[in-house]
Amino acid sequence: MLTKPDNKILDTKLLKKLIKFLVPYKRIFYGVLFVVILLSVVSAARPYILQQAIDSNVVTKELEGFLPYILLMAGLLLFEVISQVLFIFYASWLGQTVVKDIRVALFNHMLRFKMKYYDTSSVGVLITRAVTDMERIAAIFGEGLFMIFRDLLTMLVVSGVMFYMNWQLSLIVFLMLPLVLYATRIFQKYMKKAFEEVRTEVSNLNSFVQERVTGMKILQLFTRENTEYKKFVDINKRHKKGWLKTVWYNSIFFPIAELSSSITIGLVAWYGGLNAVIDNTATLGDLTAFIMMIPMLFRPLRQIADKFNTLQMGMVAANRVFKVLETTSQIDDTGTQVAGHFKGAIQFHNVWFSYVPDNPVLKDLSLQVKAGETIAIVGATGAGKSTIINLLNRFYEINKGVIQIDGTDIKAFTLASLRQQIAVVLQDVFLFADTVLNNITLNNPHITETDVQEAAKAIGIHDFIMTLPNGYHYNVKERGAMLSSGQRQLISFLRAYVTNPSILVLDEATSSVDSYSEQLIQNATDKITKNRTSIVIAHRLATIKKADKIIVMDAGKIVEQGTHTNLLKKENGYYKNLYEVQFVQEEVL
C-alpha cells in the first residue's frame, strides 16, 4: 500500500540514522566539512581582491601593487581547484563507503528473515532496495548533502562580503532573494512528492520484470506474451509519468531562478552606475565585484534545488531501505545449547500452527518419531505435510505446543546448530549459477572436494556427475538450467548427505524425476536412511512401503498411522482409499 509522503523538506530522524553509519569515518567527514568551509571563503575572497585591484590600480592607472593582486588571485584559484578535487573525491568516497556498510547490514538482516516475510514480499522490490536504492543513498553524500551545505555556506559568506563592501547595492540583491527562496521552497516540496512516486514506480517496474523473466517459460507455454507486453507498457507509462513530473517542475523553476539573477544584475548595474557617476557612493570595483558575486549568490540557489533533487531521491531510497532494516521478522534465536549429533527422536506435542491468523494448518497435532526410524507422511495437498518440516527447521514459529528433539525443546538450541543437524531435500530444487561442487558444499570450507566425491560414490551418483562436462566443476547456470529435474534432484540429494545430518527429510523428493534418477535416489535413500531418523513426504509407493511407520494426515490432523500392511487392513480407512485411488495402478505398473 502506497503511503502518503509527508511534507517535511528534510527528514531529520532519517538523517540521524544515516549519520550513525558515518561514525567510523568521522575524520574523513570532518575533513570534508573543513574543505567546504575553505572553499566558501576562497570563493568570496576572489571578487573582493578583484575589487581592490580595480579601484587601487585599474581606475587610478597605478601599476605599483597590481602584480601582487594578480598573483594572489592566481594562488587562490589554484588552491580552489585542489580543494575542489579533494572535496569531490572524499565526499564520493564517503558516500560509497557508507553505502557498502548499509548494504552489508541490509543483506545480513535479510538473511535472517522468517520465511513468512518472503512469502508476502516481492523479490523485485527487495532487489531494488539492495541495489538501486543503495546508489541513491550514496548520492546523498557525494552529490547532495555536502554540495548543499557548501552552497549555503558560500551564499552566507558572499552575502557578508557584499554587505561589507557596499550595503546599498547589497539591499538591491537581498530584495530579490525572497522571490527565489520562495520558489525554491515550493519546488522542493513538489519534487519530494514526485520522487516518492518515481521510486514506487521503479520498484513496480523491477518487480514486474524480475518475475516475468523468471517465469518466462510459463508465459511462452501459455502464449501470454502479448498480454504481458501490454501490462509492461502500462507500468512503463506510469514510470514515465512520474519522471515527467520532475522534468516539469525543473523546467519551471530554473528559468525563474535564471531570470531573477539577470534582473538583479541589471538593477545593480543601473543603480550602481548612477551612484558611481553622480555621488561616487559606488566604485567601478564594487560594480565588477557585485556582478561576479550575484551569480555566486543565485547560482547556489539553483544548484541547491538541483542537488535537492538528488538528496530527496536519496532520502526516499534511504527511507525504504531503513524500513526493511527495521523490520522485525526474524526467528527468535535465543537458544543457548549447541546441537550436537542428535539420536533423532522427534516429538510434536499438541502443536497448533497457522500461516494466516485464524486459519490453522496444524490442529493440536501430536507426533512421535523414534530415533533411527523412517516415517512416511501422506495425505492430500494442503493436509499439512510440508508444514511439519518447516516447523522442525524453525522456518516458522508455532502458535501453541512444543516440538522436541531427543527430549529437548528445539527453541533451546541455537538456530544455526539445529539446522546443521537437519538436512532437507525439496521437490523444487534450487541451484545457484555456480559449479556442481559449490552447489553441493555451498562454499563450506570444511567440506573438501574429496569429501564430496567419496559421498557421491557412497550413494552411487559419482558416475553421473563425471558424465557432465568438467565433472564436479561444471557450471549449472542460473537455477540449474543446464540440468534436468532428475539431475538437479540428485545434486540436491548429495548436498544433503554430505553434511552428515542427524535427521534427513525428503519432501516429495522423487515426485518429478525420471525412472533412472529415481532408482539412483532410491538406492541412495536406502544407504543414508540406515540408522538415521528420516521423514519422507512422498507420492511414490516404493518409498512409502519401506517406511517403518506411515502417518496419514488430513486437514491438519493425523487421522491414521501404522505400517503399510496394517493400514491396508482397515476397512474404509483413509490410507486404504488413498492407496486404491493413487497407488494400485502404480503397483501394477
Side-chain angles (χ1 to χ4, degrees), residues 170-443:
S170 298
L171 287 178
I172 295 175
V173 177
F174 296 157
L175 286 173
M176 291 296 295
L177 275 178
L179 173 64
V180 182
L181 288 171
Y182 178 75
T184 302
R185 171 78 179 184
I186 298 298
F187 173 74
Q188 291 169 345
K189 179 180 177 181
Y190 281 95
M191 284 300 284
K192 181 173 183 181
K193 293 180 180 178
F195 282 132
E196 284 277 1
E197 183 177 337
V198 167
R199 296 311 305 152
T200 298
E201 294 306 330
V202 167
S203 294
N204 292 339
L205 194 61
N206 285 348
S207 180
F208 184 89
V209 172
Q210 189 274 334
E211 289 178 354
R212 270 59 185 182
V213 170
T214 302
M216 189 59 69
K217 187 174 182 179
I218 297 298
L219 297 183
Q220 294 185 358
L221 280 172
F222 290 89
T223 63
R224 306 301 295 169
E225 293 93 336
N226 289 337
T227 301
E228 297 303 318
Y229 168 76
K230 291 176 182 178
K231 288 183 180 178
F232 182 77
V233 169
D234 290 339
I235 293 174
N236 221 17
K237 283 181 179 178
R238 294 199 300 270
H239 180 257
K240 173 189 171 184
K241 183 179 178 181
W243 270 112
L244 284 179
K245 283 186 180 179
T246 68
V247 174
W248 172 243
Y249 297 147
N250 279 314
S251 64
I252 294 175
F253 172 76
F254 287 107
I256 291 175
E258 185 66 34
L259 180 63
S260 300
S261 177
S262 300
I263 291 173
T264 305
I265 291 175
L267 289 174
V268 166
W270 169 72
Y271 184 76
L274 287 178
N275 285 358
V277 173
I278 297 173
D279 55 13
N280 203 31
T281 55
T283 66
L284 182 60
D286 290 339
L287 286 174
T288 306
F290 267 72
I291 290 172
M292 280 186 67
M293 286 190 291
I294 287 171
M296 293 173 65
L297 194 62
F298 280 78
R299 189 179 299 117
L301 276 177
R302 293 168 47 200
Q303 291 174 344
I304 287 171
D306 190 30
K307 298 305 178 186
F308 187 83
N309 297 350
T310 302
L311 178 62
Q312 286 290 45
M313 291 192 74
M315 295 300 282
V316 169
N319 186 50
R320 295 175 185 271
V321 168
F322 277 106
K323 280 184 179 178
V324 179
L325 269 173
E326 293 166 359
T327 298
T328 53
S329 185
Q330 286 82 8
I331 295 289
D332 292 331
D333 191 8
T334 55
T336 56
Q337 296 186 40
V338 177
H341 198 78
F342 293 132
K343 292 180 181 179
I346 302 171
Q347 300 88 30
F348 279 64
H349 298 291
N350 307 110
V351 173
W352 288 79
F353 172 75
S354 58
Y355 293 103
V356 179
D358 301 322
N359 186 21
V361 177
L362 297 184
K363 306 169 185 176
D364 199 28
L365 182 137
S366 293
L367 168 67
Q368 297 220 357
V369 183
K370 296 178 182 178
E373 190 175 43
T374 297
I375 70 164
I377 304 178
V378 299
T381 301
K385 305 186 298 296
S386 296
T387 299
I388 291 176
I389 310 308
N390 288 332
L391 298 181
L392 188 62
N393 281 279
R394 292 197 67 200
F395 286 136
Y396 300 86
E397 294 282 26
I398 60 177
N399 302 125
K400 288 191 294 184
V402 178
I403 302 175
Q404 296 177 322
I405 297 179
D406 293 344
T408 302
D409 191 331
I410 59 174
K411 292 182 179 180
F413 299 112
T414 62
L415 204 56
S417 66
L418 172 68
R419 290 176 179 172
Q420 284 171 357
Q421 295 302 318
I422 304 173
V424 181
V425 179
L426 299 172
Q427 177 184 4
D428 184 16
V429 178
F430 187 94
L431 297 181
F432 296 93
D434 207 334
T435 63
V436 171
L437 179 64
N438 288 340
N439 269 289
I440 293 169
T441 66
L442 296 178
N443 297 301

Side-chain angles (χ1 to χ4, degrees), residues 22-37:
L22 282 171
V23 172
Y25 315 104
K26 58 184 178 182
R27 289 186 179 179
I28 300 294
F29 177 75
Y30 291 135
V32 172
L33 287 182
F34 180 70
V35 172
V36 168
I37 294 171

Side-chain angles (χ1 to χ4, degrees), residues 458-503:
I459 63 175
I461 65 174
H462 173 74
D463 293 339
F464 142 66
I465 294 177
M466 294 309 295
T467 62
L468 300 173
N470 297 323
Y472 288 87
H473 297 280
Y474 177 62
N475 193 310
V476 301
K477 303 302 181 184
E478 187 173 359
R479 301 183 69 89
M482 302 304 292
L483 302 176
S484 69
S485 60
Q487 290 173 327
R488 292 195 295 270
Q489 199 66 261
L490 288 168
I491 290 174
S492 176
F493 205 83
L494 181 55
R495 177 163 64 190
Y497 175 60
V498 78
T499 61
N500 189 28
S502 304
I503 298 170

Side-chain angles (χ1 to χ4, degrees), residues 4-173:
K4 185 179 179 180
D6 57 58
N7 292 323
K8 290 188 292 185
I9 296 301
L10 191 63
D11 191 335
T12 53
K13 290 184 179 179
L14 185 59
L15 197 57
K16 287 178 181 178
K17 295 175 185 177
L18 286 171
I19 289 174
K20 287 182 180 179
F21 285 90
L22 282 171
V23 172
Y25 315 104
K26 58 184 178 182
R27 289 186 179 179
I28 300 294
F29 177 75
Y30 291 135
V32 172
L33 287 182
F34 180 70
V35 172
V36 168
I37 294 171
L38 287 179
L39 283 171
S40 302
V41 174
V42 170
S43 297
R46 285 192 292 108
Y48 178 75
I49 293 170
L50 180 62
Q51 181 257 344
Q52 293 293 315
I54 291 174
D55 288 342
S56 301
N57 298 96
V58 176
V59 174
T60 62
K61 299 182 180 180
E62 179 67 44
L63 188 59
E64 185 178 353
F66 186 62
L67 183 59
Y69 283 124
I70 301 301
L71 292 176
L72 182 57
M73 287 189 64
L76 288 175
L77 186 60
L78 179 62
F79 179 79
E80 188 174 4
V81 169
I82 295 172
S83 298
Q84 285 277 17
V85 171
L86 292 174
F87 167 70
I88 293 171
F89 175 79
Y90 281 105
S92 299
W93 180 91
L94 203 58
Q96 290 297 328
T97 305
V98 167
V99 159
K100 177 207 68 175
D101 293 345
I102 296 176
R103 185 183 283 121
V104 169
L106 177 67
F107 188 71
N108 185 51
H109 192 65
M110 289 167 57
L111 283 173
R112 288 158 177 78
F113 278 152
K114 297 177 184 177
M115 287 300 105
K116 185 177 181 180
Y117 180 86
Y118 292 105
D119 292 342
T120 57
S121 299
S122 165
V123 175
V125 169
L126 291 176
I127 291 173
T128 301
R129 301 292 173 265
V131 182
T132 309
D133 284 343
M134 288 297 175
E135 293 307 315
R136 299 294 185 188
I137 295 174
I140 290 177
F141 301 99
E143 302 173 30
L145 197 61
F146 285 122
M147 294 287 189
I148 290 174
F149 181 68
R150 184 194 66 178
D151 290 341
L152 287 173
L153 195 58
T154 299
M155 290 174 60
L156 183 63
V157 175
V158 167
S159 298
V161 173
M162 276 184 169
F163 198 81
Y164 173 76
M165 289 173 58
N166 192 311
W167 67 269
Q168 292 173 309
L169 295 181
S170 298
L171 287 178
I172 295 175
V173 177

